[in-house]
Amino acid sequence: MQGAFREHRFALESLGCDVTEVRKPSDLEGVQGLVLPGGESTAMAKLLQSDGLGDRIKQLAAKDLPLFGTCAGMILLAKDIDGSDQYRLGLMDVTVRRNAFGRQIASFETDLSVPALGSHPVRAVFIRAPYVAKVAPNVGILAEHEGKIVFIRQGNMLASAFHPELTPDKRVHEYFLKMVSEYR
Ligand code: GLN
């Protein structure tokens, strides 16, 4: 819809996926996994509400369609957004905090340890990123940065505060594609 969707397209295509862009409910026909990109969550929220796209995504998520939210996408997946009543899909049992890393370090890169992806760290790009302030016990924590949760999985849903589509390392997308092939 908005934000860093092209970079996700390139990352997924390089792994052999057929990629289609979703902007209206009918675009979801036949989709086997959905990426909610980074961008501006309030702008995306408007688009999700305008023609029932958000409701359709929620219906498919209830049938276990794999979803992957990055940054603003993570915010949209969360049940709670700290101090905000902006629209969200509200599918993951977590509380997120927007623009949470403070002004001086609004954008930064770091090496993240992600044991689920192997011993080699993941280079993570954070851009005015949220972090996860609270998780329910059914949410798996895949990575933290300085004690803040930045990568999570709950069943068919995956969410990262950082942007794996902006680095050449494809392990995060591969992980999501494994979730997609399990769903298929
Ligand atoms: N700060 C943005 C928001 O709150 C997210 C930034 C991003 O997706 N890179 O929606």
Side-chain angles (χ1 to χ4, degrees):
M1 293 181 297
Q2 190 261 350
F5 57 88
R6 277 184 208 89
E7 293 79 0
H8 277 292
R9 168 185 270 275
F10 296 146
L12 291 165
E13 283 176 346
S14 80
L15 294 168
C17 282
D18 290 329
V19 180
T20 182
E21 288 167 16
V22 171
R23 293 191 175 80
K24 52 186 194 302
S26 60
D27 295 334
L28 285 162
E29 204 71 46
V31 159
Q32 293 171 333
L34 179 68
V35 175
L36 297 141
E40 184 51 49
S41 57
T42 48
M44 290 193 220
K46 283 195 193 118
L47 299 165
L48 285 168
Q49 286 176 95
S50 64
D51 61 356
L53 178 61
D55 287 338
R56 183 70 190 129
I57 292 171
K58 284 194 262 189
Q59 285 168 1
L60 293 170
K63 294 188 198 152
D64 290 333
L65 177 74
L67 303 178
F68 176 24
T70 55
C71 203
M74 172 191 251
I75 295 167
L76 290 168
L77 286 175
K79 281 220 163 105
D80 290 306
I81 304 169
D82 202 20
S84 166
D85 59 4
Q86 73 186 66
Y87 173 89
R88 79 281 320 246
L89 296 168
L91 295 165
M92 296 185 85
D93 297 317
V94 301
T95 301
V96 296
R97 203 162 281 162
R98 291 180 64 197
N99 304 319
F101 285 96
R103 210 179 270 183
Q104 274 85 32
I105 49 161
S107 298
F108 61 97
E109 283 187 42
T110 189
D111 284 327
L112 271 191
S113 161
V114 187
L117 301 181
S119 55
H120 191 64
V122 170
R123 189 76 187 157
V125 179
F126 290 82
I127 304 169
R128 298 201 308 117
Y131 66 72
V132 181
K134 227 172 20 189
V135 295
N138 54 329
V139 178
I141 297 171
L142 297 174
E144 297 184 25
H145 171 63
E146 294 179 347
K148 291 172 175 133
I149 301 166
V150 294
F151 192 22
I152 51 174
R153 177 173 180 178
Q154 179 182 345
N156 58 315
M157 293 173 287
L158 186 69
S160 68
F162 56 95
H163 288 264
E165 76 284 9
L166 298 183
T167 48
D169 186 348
K170 297 290 178 299
R171 283 177 294 163
V172 173
H173 287 87
E174 277 169 352
Y175 184 91
F176 179 60
L177 291 181
K178 229 177 278 161
M179 291 168 57
V180 172
S181 61
E182 282 158 19
Y183 164 73
R184 286 167 68 194

